[in-house]
């Protein structure tokens, strides 16, 4: 039998037992499919829970040694302490972001954290382009009109993307894919990222600029950076004042990259000409759920939904077959590597 490593020493019998929180049907389907396709020695025991991970639901993992959670689960210090006392030594994130995890507390407790750093970046980049095209050419409005047999074109005038300037904040794998697509449309691509790769810029055909120049020069702005203390509310009242009139903003990164109330005010003043977001600062209590029969109590989101030049989707940019397969494969491989080797290439360390 394979030897699995935990903080309690080597165990030649116990198979890794994983509590998977915040699960939907597709999580169950893809994780189960990938797990059963693995060699027997690499398979894990999966227990699925629909509940989000929090202080109350953490008890559900009492028979497990690993917790698998998603971007909207709150892995706070309190949650981590409770999980640690239950014998949990690994948090396996089935997402790229890790701002929802108290990494310092995890490190102090000896609980390791692994993530999925990249899963079909094309999926998110292509969805970002879809939002850009829909917003720019008012496809969402045309769709609703024609369903009511209204085929008039008044109010549907858009703009060519060709020749326009698009500013990218964040040049990771998703940002690179997005830049390549934008170049295919004949756009002038400028980008801001703390880490510059001039050879990459030359090969794709974009230009690195300062953060302020993104705001001053761009007709369109697309956010692809991680959420850090430095990038939180990078779109705010001050940065909006630097932007062109009628600028359009796309966000498929993290909700808190945008100071939502500042954007609402800019939309009301027509400073911002359009907004398309797949993420929202307060999404954890709303997204991935059907609340269509309930009263929407989030006044800021309700105000956003009232604008005709705003498109909101429910964090679905990643949602393709290829991405779900990649997420499941990487998540299970992360668990296997950590349990057998005591380390993992996708481990997240406190900064």
């Amino acid at each position: 039998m394979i030897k699995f490593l935990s903080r309690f020493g080597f165990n030649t019998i116990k198979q890794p037992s994983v509590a998977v929180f915040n699960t939907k049907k597709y999580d169950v389907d893809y994780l189960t499919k990938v797990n059963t396709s693995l060699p027997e020695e690499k398979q894990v025991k999966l227990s699925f829970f629909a509940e989000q991970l929090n202080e109350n639901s953490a008890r559900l993992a009492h028979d497990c040694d690993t917790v698998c959670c998603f971007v909207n689960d709150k892995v706070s210090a309190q949650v981590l302490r409770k999980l640690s006392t239950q014998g949990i030594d690994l948090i396996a994130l089935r997402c790229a972001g890790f701002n929802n995890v108290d990494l310092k507390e995890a490190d102090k407790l000896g609980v390791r954290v692994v993530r999925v750093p990249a899963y079909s970046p094309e999926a998110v980049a292509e969805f970002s382009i879809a939002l850009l095209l829909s917003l720019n050419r008012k496809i969402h409005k045309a769709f609703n009109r024609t369903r009511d047999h209204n085929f008039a074109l008044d109010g549907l005038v858009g703009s060519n993307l060709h020749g326009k300037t698009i500013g990218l904040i964040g040049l990771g794998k998703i940002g690179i894919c997005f830049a390549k697509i934008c170049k295919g449309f004949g756009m002038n691509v400028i980008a801001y990222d703390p880490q510059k790769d001039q050879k990459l810029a030359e090969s794709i055909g974009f230009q690195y600029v300062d953060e302020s120049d993104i705001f001053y020069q761009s007709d369109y702005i697309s956010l692809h950076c991680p959420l850090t203390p430095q990038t939180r509310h990078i779109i705010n009242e001050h940065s909006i004042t630097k932007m062109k009139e009628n600028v359009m903003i796309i966000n498929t990164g993290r909700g808190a990259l945008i100071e939502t109330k500042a954007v609402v005010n800019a939309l009301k003043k027509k400073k911002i000409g359009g907004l398309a977001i797949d993420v929202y600062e307060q999404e954890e209590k709303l997204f991935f759920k059907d609340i269509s029969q309930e009263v929407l109590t989030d006044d800021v989101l309700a105000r956003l939904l009232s604008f005709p030049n705003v498109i909101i989707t429910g964090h679905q940019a990643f949602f393709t077959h290829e991405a779900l397969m990649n997420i499941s494969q990487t998540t299970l491989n992360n668990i296997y590597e950590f349990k057998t080797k005591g380390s993992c290439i996708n481990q997240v360390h406190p900064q």
Side-chain angles (χ1 to χ4, degrees):
M1 292 186 180
I2 192 166
K3 288 186 177 182
F4 291 104
L5 179 64
S6 76
R7 57 182 168 166
F8 305 111
F10 283 105
N11 189 323
T12 58
I13 300 175
K14 187 177 180 182
Q15 181 186 41
S17 183
V18 184
V20 188
F21 283 89
N22 206 357
T23 57
K24 303 293 185 286
K25 183 179 182 300
Y26 49 84
D27 294 309
V28 177
D29 290 346
Y30 279 86
L31 281 168
T32 301
K33 179 179 180 179
V34 172
N35 191 45
T36 55
S37 70
L38 295 172
E40 187 176 353
E41 66 271 15
K42 287 191 174 184
Q43 292 181 17
V44 302
K45 179 183 177 183
L46 296 169
S47 298
F48 295 101
F49 302 102
E51 292 84 354
Q52 283 186 298
L53 178 61
N54 54 44
E55 287 185 64
N56 294 324
S57 63
R59 59 181 174 78
L60 297 172
H62 66 92
D63 285 334
C64 301
D65 53 59
T66 300
V67 159
C68 178
C69 53
F70 195 49
V71 64
N72 286 334
D73 290 302
K74 294 295 183 183
V75 195
S76 64
Q78 293 83 354
V79 170
L80 284 164
R81 285 194 287 269
K82 190 163 189 177
L83 292 174
S84 180
T85 60
Q86 296 173 183
I88 300 295
D89 61 3
L90 180 65
I91 304 294
L93 298 166
R94 57 183 191 277
C95 55
F98 50 86
N99 55 282
N100 57 326
V101 183
D102 189 328
L103 294 176
K104 290 183 179 178
E105 184 67 21
D107 188 60
K108 187 191 304 182
L109 295 168
V111 177
R112 304 305 175 215
V113 180
V114 294
R115 67 177 181 132
V116 183
Y119 46 86
S120 185
E122 294 83 6
V124 181
E126 290 169 9
F127 192 85
S128 302
I129 287 291
L131 288 178
L132 173 60
L133 288 169
S134 296
L135 186 66
N136 186 55
R137 298 301 300 271
K138 301 179 174 62
I139 295 172
H140 60 300
K141 295 178 69 175
F143 173 79
N144 288 329
R145 281 190 188 186
T146 55
R147 290 181 67 82
D148 291 332
H149 304 161
N150 178 358
F151 300 97
L153 299 182
D154 296 329
L156 297 181
V157 177
S159 299
N160 288 0
L161 293 180
H162 188 275
K164 300 297 193 306
T165 297
I166 185 160
L168 279 61
I169 299 180
L171 252 293
K173 293 184 178 180
I174 294 170
I176 291 169
C177 290
F178 186 80
K180 290 178 179 178
I181 299 173
C182 290
K183 289 300 295 183
F185 279 102
M187 303 186 78
N188 173 39
V189 180
I190 59 176
Y192 168 72
D193 194 291
Q195 297 181 345
K196 296 179 174 59
D197 184 339
Q198 292 298 339
K199 289 185 178 180
L200 176 69
E202 291 172 8
S203 67
I204 296 177
F206 69 85
Q207 179 185 359
Y208 283 108
V209 298
D210 293 333
E211 181 183 309
S212 291
D213 289 326
I214 292 289
F215 304 133
Y216 285 125
Q217 298 180 28
S218 300
D219 300 300
Y220 308 91
I221 296 173
S222 191
L223 307 178
H224 301 285
C225 56
L227 179 62
T228 66
Q230 292 73 35
T231 61
R232 179 177 292 273
H233 290 175
I234 196 167
I235 304 297
N236 53 54
E237 184 177 0
H238 178 64
S239 62
I240 290 170
T241 62
K242 301 177 183 179
M243 297 178 190
K244 291 184 177 182
E245 297 293 322
N246 292 314
V247 64
M248 290 189 179
I249 300 173
I250 312 296
N251 186 14
T252 55
R254 288 288 177 266
L257 297 174
I258 289 178
E259 186 182 0
T260 313
K261 290 183 179 179
V263 169
V264 168
N265 290 332
L267 284 163
K268 288 164 65 176
K269 296 175 182 177
K270 299 183 180 179
K271 172 71 173 183
I272 293 178
L275 174 73
I277 57 175
D278 186 52
V279 287
Y280 173 59
E281 191 170 5
Q282 306 297 330
E283 70 177 59
E284 65 270 7
K285 295 181 180 179
L286 300 167
F287 285 12
F288 306 105
K289 301 174 184 177
D290 180 0
I291 58 170
S292 58
Q293 302 303 314
E294 302 175 25
V295 174
L296 182 59
T297 58
D298 187 319
D299 293 340
V300 176
L301 181 61
R303 185 67 180 93
L304 275 179
L305 288 166
S306 72
F307 289 103
N309 54 343
V310 171
I311 298 175
I312 300 175
T313 52
H315 208 132
Q316 73 176 85
F318 77 100
F319 204 55
T320 65
H321 166 73
E322 292 82 0
L324 289 169
M325 285 295 292
N326 289 343
I327 289 169
S328 297
Q329 290 164 349
T330 303
T331 298
L332 293 174
N333 188 64
N334 285 345
I335 295 170
Y336 174 77
E337 280 200 3
F338 178 80
K339 294 296 183 178
T340 56
K341 300 177 183 178
S343 63
C344 175
I345 191 172
N346 295 323
Q347 184 172 337
V348 185
H349 300 278
Q351 298 177 345

